[in-house]
Amino acid sequence: MRARVLLTALLAGPALGLGPGVAALAGTPGRVVPVKIGVLNDRSGVYAEISGEGSVVAARMAVEDFRAQDHGLSVEVVSGDHQNKPAVGASLARAWYDREGVDAIFDVPTSSVALAVHEVTREKNKVFVDSGAGTADLTGPDCSPNTVHWTFDTVALANGTGGAMVKRGGDTWFFVTADYAFGEAVQRDTTALIERRGGRVLGAVKTPFPAFDFAPALRQAQGSGAKVIGLANAGGDTIGAVREAARLRVAEGGQALAGLLIFSSDIHALTPRVAQGLVLTEPFYWDLNDNTRAFSDRFARLAGGKKPTAAQAGVYAGVLHYLKAVEALGSAADGDKVVARMKEIPTDDPLFGKGTIRADGRKIHDMYLFEVKKPAESKGEWDLYRTLATIPGREAFRPLDQGGCPLVLKAAQAEGPRP
């Protein structure tokens, strides 16, 4: 299923500030640069609420707020469903690039699909701005000059939630892990953090993706005696696991549940009654500040009353920054050059604030440690979190020199030895 909309006029409503760094469009006066954006995600499965149509709404809002027509751009947005299958995602990406003139793909939850789209994008010299997938491998040894990883990754999740749980005394863990790239990556990165801080992993069990019965895995986790049961999954799988943990009275047995990738849409579906006390890490929450609240109110009017998730917010911010780079270049044709310009221009948007994109393609911004409110503390349907801590971006994400990205070595060699 694909929806198309040509965005050359503004909808009603105030535009949000775009920040500095937008250069004048190169070329002759009156020239219009065509840009085609594809939003590729899960529109029908376990991640549909995390991204889905909401990410398309966010992309449209970004084009409107950028005032594309005023900046000499004519932007078209198309969307597609990758069905959480790498082969489907790669095939759609290839068709979009080869036959439909798509210049950049955004979102792409499901790490295995993201890695497949990442490779096709490099091959075709286009642009991939990932918002929905978690694997830090996108900016590791297989990093690409054509990919930006915008919103979060498995290292930041491990540093946030994993670090908080160990600090609270949760030094023994058992993982319930989705059997695909994201689950494996977040278990790997959280295990590394636990062991660095003197903790131990007592075991793990893999569950099918998607999974429909978490009772056997959770009973095994209970039997391990681990202080923390880490849920290395996301979306509908996380919702199912948390509900089953409540039914099995995991918390009453003295074990803590750690959701390593939780979105506000998951907590909304679970309700604070079921999820209260759950500690989690996100880079965005609709109620962080005046800018996030203003955006989220507008988003909700276009999305059936739903507040945006971090993945949807990442699509919005990523599209804004991408369009700044295209305008500065006067063309969307050369993906390598567009991403290079995205790295040169400081990032600045209403949802994530000021930041940077590193040589490895990792977007750097603050992350937040949240705790789900108790029902008595919640003042409304979407009043879900209280903030425990702000984690500066330089502490949340993997250090630049530790990911093994060849682009980092290349950049260091280009700079030459320091005096």
Side-chain angles (χ1 to χ4, degrees):
M1 178 184 294
R2 285 183 299 183
R4 298 171 182 264
V5 58
L6 184 63
L7 292 164
T8 54
L10 298 178
L11 297 182
L16 300 177
L18 297 176
V22 180
L25 180 67
T28 57
R31 177 190 173 206
V32 176
V33 175
V35 183
K36 197 168 186 178
I37 289 170
V39 179
L40 182 59
N41 57 30
D42 176 2
R43 298 177 61 83
S44 55
V46 293
Y47 297 156
E49 289 299 312
I50 290 170
S51 55
E53 180 61 21
S55 290
V56 181
V57 170
R60 293 172 180 171
M61 290 176 68
V63 178
E64 293 155 11
D65 288 349
F66 185 77
R67 300 183 182 273
Q69 191 174 37
D70 293 350
H71 291 275
L73 306 182
S74 176
V75 184
E76 184 180 1
V77 176
V78 299
S79 62
D81 187 348
H82 61 42
Q83 302 172 41
N84 295 313
K85 298 176 181 177
V88 173
S91 178
L92 269 172
R94 195 175 299 278
W96 278 359
Y97 291 147
D98 285 347
R99 298 196 295 272
E100 300 195 28
V102 168
D103 299 294
I105 291 177
F106 288 79
D107 201 10
V108 195
T110 312
S111 291
S112 54
V113 182
L115 289 166
V117 172
H118 170 78
E119 290 303 324
V120 174
T121 302
R122 173 162 36 192
E123 175 191 337
K124 299 298 180 182
N125 191 26
K126 300 294 185 177
V127 174
F128 176 32
V129 182
D130 188 278
S131 181
T135 178
D137 294 350
L138 286 168
T139 56
D142 198 37
C143 66
S144 164
N146 299 83
T147 292
V148 173
H149 200 180
W150 192 277
T151 312
F152 63 93
D153 65 26
T154 50
V155 172
L157 298 174
N159 287 339
T161 306
M165 299 303 287
V166 173
K167 188 175 182 180
R168 289 182 168 193
D171 57 358
T172 56
W173 285 62
F174 188 98
F175 287 97
V176 175
T177 302
D179 190 11
Y180 78 115
F182 167 76
E184 294 168 1
V186 77
Q187 179 183 326
R188 175 198 67 202
D189 293 336
T190 308
T191 295
L193 179 137
I194 292 164
E195 293 177 346
R196 282 199 308 271
R197 299 195 178 183
R200 291 181 298 136
V201 175
L202 304 185
V205 60
K206 289 187 176 181
T207 58
F209 174 72
F212 302 99
D213 182 7
F214 286 94
L218 287 168
R219 287 196 183 100
Q220 191 172 338
Q222 285 178 300
S224 73
K227 295 177 183 178
V228 181
I229 300 174
L231 301 180
N233 52 21
D237 278 2
T238 301
I239 292 170
V242 173
R243 283 178 175 156
E244 186 62 24
R247 191 186 71 80
L248 294 175
R249 300 183 181 276
V250 166
E252 286 88 333
Q255 290 175 299
L257 204 63
L260 293 167
L261 179 54
I262 301 277
F263 291 90
S264 56
S265 57
D266 302 328
I267 303 302
H268 181 262
L270 287 163
T271 75
R273 181 184 64 80
V274 175
Q276 61 184 298
L278 191 67
V279 174
L280 58 110
T281 304
E282 289 217 59
F284 169 87
Y285 176 50
W286 73 269
D287 200 21
L288 277 175
N289 54 53
D290 288 344
N291 282 336
T292 59
R293 285 187 285 272
F295 170 82
S296 299
D297 287 347
R298 290 175 54 215
F299 179 95
R301 290 195 291 271
L302 298 170
K306 299 175 182 178
K307 298 296 187 183
T309 66
Q312 293 158 349
V315 169
Y316 173 87
V319 169
L320 276 182
H321 194 69
Y322 167 76
L323 292 176
K324 292 178 188 179
V326 171
E327 183 193 15
L329 287 173
S331 172
D334 189 324
D336 192 329
K337 289 182 179 179
V338 173
V339 170
R341 187 56 62 94
M342 291 176 73
K343 293 175 181 177
E344 292 172 2
I345 301 171
T347 63
D348 189 5
D349 65 80
L351 306 187
F352 296 85
K354 298 180 185 296
T356 57
I357 300 172
R358 299 190 314 200
D360 59 356
R362 176 67 259 166
K363 164 67 165 57
I364 303 299
H365 47 247
D366 292 346
M367 300 286 288
Y368 302 91
L369 189 68
F370 296 114
E371 184 174 60
V372 178
K373 290 183 174 182
K374 297 176 181 178
E377 297 172 329
S378 178
K379 298 177 181 178
E381 180 184 5
W382 288 94
D383 184 19
L384 306 171
Y385 297 162
R386 68 184 184 93
T387 304
L388 298 179
T390 299
I391 308 169
R394 66 182 180 278
E395 298 175 12
F397 294 97
R398 178 174 56 204
L400 182 61
D401 62 354
Q402 293 181 14
C405 171
L407 298 175
V408 175
L409 177 60
K410 182 179 178 181
Q413 290 173 337
E415 290 179 2
R418 292 184 180 182

